[in-house]
């Protein structure tokens, strides 16, 4: 379905918003946060790293929390003091833990087995930022839902699309499992696999509406579009988030989102294919 929204029509949809409260997020169990998953994977990719710790601001209120630790998972979600200043000293690098839109969320501390490797630390920092939308996202449970994970065709398609379009901050595919009742996230570059559709998602999925918002600190353009399969059958929704700044052409960004949605749709034989294990 192609959208022909004008600038005026898009403006009517847009309202600056804060990140919404989410009562569908399950609790973190035994220190298994999303960022814990990310840093364990990062350490495995870089055998020269001895330990990674991520400390972040609370989503609400004052204070700092350990959101991930490869050496002591029991520390995760516990309160800590403000971390020391960013520095490279001996075997340790401390630097910013950022979101994918460039907001500082906290501090990454990387301890190397030998001398500190600033290039490796910068690579880990960039990888974490690319995969993290916000402090709330970093503190999501991993897995979000035991029944879903990243080993699907939907996830392969998501990561291929994000790699092809480097200005895309977030991509999420919402679809309904073949034997399921609830529409869920099945493809995502920021985790949350299995998260059920909320009211805004369902408006897109059930009615074919389009959700458009300026989000974050007015630095993200968020568009959620009806998602069809290659045969033109509506199967869910596609959430896309782009960088945004005052003066950007909202209509052009929306058109870009529609083009990406059409590209993704052409690669989906049917809804069931999204849930198939990746080969």
């Amino acid at each position: 379905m192609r959208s022909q929204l004008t600038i005026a029509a898009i403006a009517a949809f847009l309202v600056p918003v804060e990140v919404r409260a989410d009562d569908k997020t399950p609790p973190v169990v035994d220190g298994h946060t999303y960022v814990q998953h990310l840093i364990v994977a990062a350490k495995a990719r870089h055998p020269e790293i001895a330990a990674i710790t991520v400390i972040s601001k609370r989503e609400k209120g004052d204070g700092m929390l350990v959101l991930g630790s490869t050496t002591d998972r029991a520390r995760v979600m516990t309160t800590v003091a403000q971390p020391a200043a960013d520095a490279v000293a001996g075997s340790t690098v401390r630097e910013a833990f950022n979101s994918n839109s460039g907001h500082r969320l906290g501090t990454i501390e990387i301890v190397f087995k030998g001398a500190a490797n600033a290039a490796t630390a910068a690579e880990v920092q960039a990888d974490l930022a690319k995969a993290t939308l916000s402090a709330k996202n970093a503190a999501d449970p991993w897995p979000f839902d035991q029944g879903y994970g990243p080993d699907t065709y939907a996830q392969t398609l998501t990561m291929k699309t994000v790699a092809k379009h480097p200005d895309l901050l977030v991509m999420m595919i919402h679809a309904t499992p073949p034997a399921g009742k609830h529409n869920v996230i099945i493809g995502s570059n920021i985790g949350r696999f299995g998260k059920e559709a909320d009211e805004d998602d369902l408006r897109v999925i059930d009615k074919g509406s389009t959700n458009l918002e300026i989000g974050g600190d007015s630095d993200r353009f968020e568009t959620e579009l009806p998602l069809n399969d290659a045969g033109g059958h509506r199967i869910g929704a596609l959430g896309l988030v782009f960088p945004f700044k005052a003066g950007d052409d909202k209509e052009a960004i929306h058109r870009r989102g529609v083009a990406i949605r059409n590209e993704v749709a052409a690669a989906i034989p049917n809804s069931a294919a999204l849930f198939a294990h990746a080969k």
Side-chain angles (χ1 to χ4, degrees), residues 15 50 115 118 211 221 235 256 261:
V15 179
N211 291 334
F221 187 94
I235 58 172
R256 179 155 174 72
R261 187 274 310 276

Side-chain angles (χ1 to χ4, degrees), residues 23-268:
D23 59 1
K24 293 188 177 182
T25 300
V28 170
V29 177
D30 196 25
H32 289 287
T33 61
Y34 174 57
V35 84
Q36 175 75 7
H37 161 72
L38 294 177
I39 64 173
V40 167
K43 182 174 179 292
R45 288 194 300 272
H46 299 283
E48 69 273 30
I49 292 177
I52 306 175
T53 303
V54 174
I55 296 172
S56 178
K57 301 172 186 176
R58 291 177 179 271
E59 187 203 359
K60 296 179 180 178
D62 298 325
M64 307 293 288
L65 293 175
V66 176
L67 289 189
S69 169
T70 61
T71 57
D72 185 3
R73 204 171 65 236
R75 294 181 63 207
V76 175
M77 301 305 288
T78 62
T79 304
V80 291
Q82 182 76 25
D86 296 354
V88 178
S91 62
T92 301
V93 177
R94 282 188 303 276
E95 58 189 356
F97 170 46
N98 293 328
S99 72
N100 57 15
S101 56
H103 290 287
R104 181 162 188 153
L105 306 177
T107 296
I108 308 167
E109 182 177 275
I110 303 175
V111 180
F112 290 85
K113 294 174 182 177
N117 185 324
T120 296
E123 182 178 339
V124 171
Q125 179 193 42
D127 287 346
L128 291 186
K130 190 182 299 184
T132 306
L133 178 66
S134 63
K136 175 178 173 53
N137 176 213
D140 280 338
W142 181 271
F144 198 96
D145 184 308
Q146 292 282 354
Y148 301 92
D151 57 342
T152 62
Y153 174 66
Q155 183 63 5
T156 299
L157 180 58
T158 296
M159 299 313 292
K160 179 180 177 181
T161 304
V162 170
K164 182 178 179 181
H165 303 286
D167 60 330
L168 198 52
L169 298 178
V170 176
M171 173 171 160
M172 285 188 171
I173 295 176
H174 300 253
T176 303
K181 296 181 179 178
H182 300 290
N183 190 285
V184 298
I185 293 171
I186 189 60
S188 164
N189 67 318
I190 61 165
R192 299 179 177 174
F193 302 107
K195 182 179 182 294
E196 291 184 16
D198 61 21
E199 184 178 343
D200 284 350
D201 302 325
L202 290 173
R203 185 167 59 247
V204 177
I205 295 160
D206 296 337
K207 299 180 180 180
S209 303
T210 295
N211 291 334
L212 300 171
E213 292 178 350
I214 295 175
D217 291 330
S218 297
D219 60 357
R220 299 196 302 258
F221 187 94
E222 304 174 3
T223 176
E224 188 173 20
L225 302 153
L227 180 61
N228 295 340
D229 63 19
H233 305 101
R234 191 189 311 151
I235 58 172
L238 183 68
L240 303 171
V241 179
F242 298 92
F244 179 81
K245 64 182 182 299
D248 281 352
D249 186 336
K250 302 180 186 72
E251 187 175 8
I253 299 173
H254 178 62
R255 285 197 304 269
R256 179 155 174 72
V258 171
I260 291 173
R261 187 274 310 276
N262 293 343
E263 173 189 311
V264 170
I268 303 173

